[in-house]
Amino acid sequence: MTVRYERPVSRAAFFGRRIAVFSFFMFVAAWGLHRFGPLSTPSFLAVFIAAALLCTFAAYLAVLGIGALWFKGARGGKASAAALLFAALPLAAFAYGISNYVNLPPIYDVSTDTADPPGWLHVPDADQSWLGQRRPVTAVDRQAQVARWRDLTGRRYDGGLDRVYTAALKVAVAQGLDLRFQRGAPELALQEIPETEVGKEEAVPDALDFVPVPIPRPAESERDDAGLPPGDPSIQGEQRTFAFGFRQDVVIRLREELETTLVDVRVASRYGDRDLGSGVAYIERYLRALDAELLGIAGD
C-alpha cells in the first residue's frame, strides 16, 4: 500500500500575501494622487499610516508562514516571500519617516536667520484636518534648529542688490519654486545706444543695440507689490518635496548692507508640526545653487 504524504498549508502565508498586495497598491495609489493629483496631505498621511500598519501585519503573517515551512514543511513559502516583497516599500518609507520623526528636532519652520527670520509676504494657511492645530514657532524651536544644524546660515555676496536679486529669482525658478509674491524686485530699462556710439571703430563687434541699465525704483504706490507689507526685497513661493510632494512655503529675503547683499531663506512645512528635515535640505540645495550662480562674488 502506497502512503502519500500531504503537506500542510500555511493559511497565514497566503492571507499575509493578500493583505500585502492590497496595502501596496493602496499606498501607491495614494502616493500618486497626492504627488500628482488632488489628494490632500492629511488624507494621504491617513492612508499611508493605514497601509503601513497593514503591511506590518502582513509581514508578521509572512514570518509565521516561513516558520511553518521551516518546522513543518508547510506550503506557503512563495506566498510569504511575495508578502514581504510587497510590504517592503511602504514599510521602508514608514521606517524612514519614523526615524526622522524621532531623531530630528520637532520643528516645521526653519530659517538661516534665527534671530530675525524673513517675514512672510503672505502668511501661509492650510486646513490641518485631523493633524490638529499646530503651535506657533517659538524661540525654543529656533534654538533646537541651531543645536542640530549649526552651519545653516545665510549668504553674503559682494554684488549689488539688483544683480543678486536677479540671480536669486533665477535659481528659485530653476529649483522648481512656484512664485506667488515678490517685493522690491529691481526694475531694468532697455536703453538704446546712440548710432554714433555703435558705429565707432573701437566698439565691440556684434555688440547689442540695447543694454539693460538699472533705473530708479518707482514709488511704492506705483509698484505691483504695493499691497504687500513693507520690508526688505523678498521672494515667496511654494515648492513640493521630490519623493512625496509635501508642500512647503519658501520666502527668500535680500538685504543690502553697504557694498554687499545678504540672502536669507525661510522654509515652513504647510502641514503638520514637523518637516522631518525637508526644510533644511531645500535651503542647503538652494544656497549651493545660488553660490554656483554667483560664483566669485560670495563673501563671508
Side-chain angles (χ1 to χ4, degrees):
M1 183 177 65
T2 303
V3 177
R4 299 181 60 184
Y5 172 73
E6 292 188 6
R7 293 178 59 188
V9 177
S10 174
R11 297 184 181 276
F14 291 97
F15 189 50
R17 182 176 63 181
R18 293 191 186 97
I19 295 178
V21 171
F22 171 76
S23 303
F24 173 80
F25 285 106
M26 181 172 69
F27 166 74
V28 171
W31 171 81
L33 290 174
H34 178 258
R35 184 65 180 84
F36 306 103
L39 188 65
S40 67
T41 295
S43 299
F44 166 71
L45 290 176
V47 176
F48 177 37
I49 293 174
L53 293 177
L54 287 174
C55 284
T56 302
F57 182 54
Y60 168 74
L61 294 178
V63 170
L64 292 181
I66 293 175
L69 172 65
W70 180 264
F71 292 107
K72 301 178 182 179
R75 297 173 56 188
K78 293 182 179 180
S80 295
L84 293 175
L85 182 63
F86 279 102
L89 179 61
L91 287 180
F94 187 72
Y96 176 77
I98 290 296
S99 175
N100 285 348
Y101 189 90
V102 172
N103 296 320
L104 295 181
I107 54 180
Y108 64 89
D109 186 324
V110 294
S111 172
T112 56
D113 187 350
T114 55
D116 181 23
W120 300 108
L121 304 184
H122 179 77
V123 179
D125 188 24
D127 181 11
Q128 300 295 312
S129 185
W130 65 273
L131 297 175
Q133 187 174 4
R134 55 187 184 179
R135 55 184 175 76
V137 181
T138 64
V140 176
D141 296 326
R142 300 299 182 195
Q143 293 173 1
Q145 174 198 316
V146 173
R148 182 63 177 81
W149 296 285
R150 295 183 180 276
D151 297 332
L152 189 68
T153 59
R155 295 288 195 274
R156 187 182 298 276
Y157 299 98
D158 292 331
L161 177 63
D162 291 348
R163 178 182 179 185
V164 177
Y165 190 105
T166 302
L169 183 62
K170 176 182 177 181
V171 172
V173 173
Q175 292 283 320
L177 187 67
D178 183 11
L179 301 178
R180 299 299 175 87
F181 305 97
Q182 294 185 59
R183 179 177 62 199
E187 300 287 343
L188 296 178
L190 293 178
Q191 179 174 311
E192 185 174 358
I193 301 176
E195 294 182 2
T196 55
E197 297 292 332
V198 176
K200 287 185 177 180
E201 295 182 358
E202 62 270 16
V204 179
D206 300 327
L208 296 176
D209 292 338
F210 295 88
V211 177
V213 178
I215 62 175
R217 295 188 179 91
E220 291 297 326
S221 59
E222 300 176 358
R223 297 186 58 84
D224 293 336
D225 57 16
L228 299 176
D232 297 305
S234 302
I235 303 166
Q236 181 173 328
E238 173 192 314
Q239 76 97 27
R240 307 187 69 173
T241 59
F242 177 75
F244 289 96
F246 294 122
R247 298 180 184 275
Q248 295 177 312
D249 293 289
V250 181
V251 60
I252 304 164
R253 182 185 67 194
L254 294 87
R255 181 171 287 172
E256 198 169 28
E257 297 180 355
L258 299 178
E259 300 296 329
T260 65
T261 302
L262 181 63
V263 179
D264 283 296
V265 186
R266 179 181 181 183
V267 180
S269 175
R270 184 167 298 183
Y271 297 95
D273 59 357
R274 305 190 185 205
D275 67 0
L276 306 182
S278 60
V280 172
Y282 176 83
I283 292 176
E284 291 177 341
R285 184 170 66 252
Y286 174 82
L287 291 178
R288 283 196 302 267
L290 185 60
D291 287 342
E293 181 68 23
L294 294 172
L295 186 64
I297 67 170
D300 296 333

